[in-house]
Amino acid sequence: MYNNNTLLSNWKKEQKELAEQLAILRQKASTDALHDLRVAIKKLRAYLDLYILLKAGTDPVVTIIKTNFSNTEEFFSIIGRRRDVEICLSLTDVLQNENGCSIPYFRSYLRTMLKITGAWSNTAVHQYQHKELSRFGRLLKEEPIPGYPEKIKYCIDQQTADLPAHFKKPHQLRKILKSVYYWLSLLPRTQAYQPGLLHSILDDLGNWHDLEVLSTRLRHYRKDYLPTPFEEYAELKRSGEIILEKKKTLMKAALVKTKQWLKEINKHK
């Protein structure tokens, strides 16, 4: 009979991490704490998704789980707005230093948005209550699932089998692989799944995603706010072309590695 000790212990670990980073953010704004808080929520979401898969998605308890986690999802979305702006500002530094892109108006716009999203984030940090996370911890004790770890491996193998269908959808590919990466932490032996190579793929896809966020913000600002005659209009267009090439390079590398990763793990099936 399966007991939920591994899943429960990992859940409690990330729940504690979330609480610690939340306490830091309630004292002062911190880019590192915000990042670590979001990572903790991503892991909790991955464990929750896995539990739902293990329950085959048909149990009435699944509906309760999804409803209870909605508060955390809303919180994640709000603090993510600030995180996105921070990433964009950091990447515009790179564009300026490595490619000589002078885009002061856009950077000024981002700094203004950082103040606004920072205020949103600060309010959310002080209002967020994470009692729903404890409810799921109690559920893990009460709702055992037979067949561990084979069922977890089965869920991982199902997700990886569907990966080729997402090769042209990098954001979805990243979400699936990120969940698989977190699920692997629940297994006693993971070498067959090449965690090092998977981590490298996620780095490429993460960098792709950051550039995609910047590209979206940059395009929106150039088309909707900046007057065409301004010199920065052309500079932003050039910046967008540079970003596009970087994204293509990252995506190509990620796909090559993903195909290699699938080949390696299929050898052990």
Side-chain angles (χ1 to χ4, degrees):
M1 173 65 70
Y2 163 72
N3 65 62
N4 290 323
N5 287 347
T6 304
L7 182 55
L8 179 59
S9 62
N10 277 267
W11 179 270
K12 287 185 174 180
K13 175 184 175 184
E14 297 310 323
Q15 187 180 346
K16 180 181 178 183
E17 175 71 9
L18 182 151
E20 290 176 353
Q21 300 308 322
L22 192 64
I24 292 172
L25 288 168
R26 284 175 174 170
Q27 294 297 319
K28 64 176 182 178
S30 167
T31 298
D32 289 340
L34 185 67
H35 171 265
D36 292 344
L37 175 62
R38 281 172 51 80
V39 170
I41 294 176
K42 288 178 183 178
K43 290 182 179 180
L44 291 170
R45 180 198 286 156
Y47 298 149
L48 195 63
D49 289 343
L50 176 62
Y51 184 79
I52 291 171
L53 285 175
L54 292 171
K55 297 290 285 187
T58 58
D59 197 301
V61 77
V62 169
T63 302
I64 298 173
I65 290 172
K66 289 182 177 179
T67 301
N68 284 343
F69 202 68
S70 60
N71 183 43
T72 300
E73 290 286 11
E74 290 173 0
F75 174 60
F76 182 82
S77 176
I78 294 170
I79 62 176
R81 296 293 189 268
R82 174 188 163 189
R83 180 62 182 163
D84 284 350
V85 178
E86 289 177 338
I87 289 170
C88 287
L89 276 168
S90 177
L91 289 174
T92 56
D93 283 339
V94 176
L95 282 171
Q96 182 172 322
N97 295 333
E98 294 184 359
N99 305 101
C101 297
S102 179
I103 45 178
Y105 289 134
F106 179 58
R107 286 176 56 80
S108 178
Y109 164 75
L110 290 176
R111 284 191 288 269
T112 299
M113 291 308 301
L114 184 61
K115 292 180 182 178
I116 295 171
T117 56
W120 295 345
S121 178
N122 187 55
T123 299
V125 160
H126 284 84
Q127 291 181 345
Y128 172 64
Q129 300 294 324
H130 48 95
K131 293 179 181 178
E132 62 189 28
L133 304 181
S134 298
R135 294 192 194 107
F136 181 63
R138 291 194 294 271
L139 180 65
L140 283 172
K141 291 182 179 180
E142 299 166 359
E143 294 283 339
I145 304 169
Y148 172 86
E150 286 72 19
K151 280 195 172 182
I152 294 179
K153 291 180 180 177
Y154 176 75
C155 289
I156 290 174
D157 290 342
Q158 272 196 320
Q159 294 294 308
T160 56
D162 292 337
L163 285 179
H166 301 288
F167 281 173
K168 293 185 179 181
K169 303 172 185 177
H171 181 60
Q172 186 64 21
L173 182 66
R174 177 174 176 256
K175 285 177 64 176
I176 294 171
L177 288 175
K178 181 72 75 172
S179 291
V180 168
Y181 186 73
Y182 293 147
W183 295 351
L184 288 174
S185 66
L186 304 173
L187 296 177
R189 291 180 295 277
T190 62
Q191 194 54 44
Y193 289 96
Q194 303 290 316
L197 181 54
L198 178 55
H199 188 274
S200 179
I201 296 167
L202 288 170
D203 278 346
D204 288 340
L205 291 174
N207 290 331
W208 179 94
H209 180 263
D210 290 348
L211 288 169
E212 175 69 4
V213 170
L214 174 60
S215 177
T216 301
R217 304 293 189 280
L218 187 150
R219 185 168 56 251
H220 165 65
Y221 178 77
R222 180 172 63 85
K223 290 186 175 181
D224 294 345
Y225 295 114
L226 194 65
T228 306
F230 283 28
E231 288 184 8
E232 188 167 325
Y233 188 92
E235 195 71 350
L236 284 173
K237 190 173 183 180
R238 183 172 79 92
S239 299
E241 292 168 352
I242 292 169
I243 292 169
L244 180 60
E245 290 305 311
K246 289 183 176 183
K247 283 170 55 184
K248 287 180 179 178
T249 299
L250 286 166
M251 198 59 220
K252 182 178 180 180
L255 287 178
V256 168
K257 292 176 186 176
T258 301
K259 291 174 183 177
Q260 179 187 351
W261 181 71
L262 288 172
K263 185 178 180 179
E264 289 295 325
I265 64 174
N266 283 333
K267 289 179 182 178
H268 296 87
K269 289 183 180 179

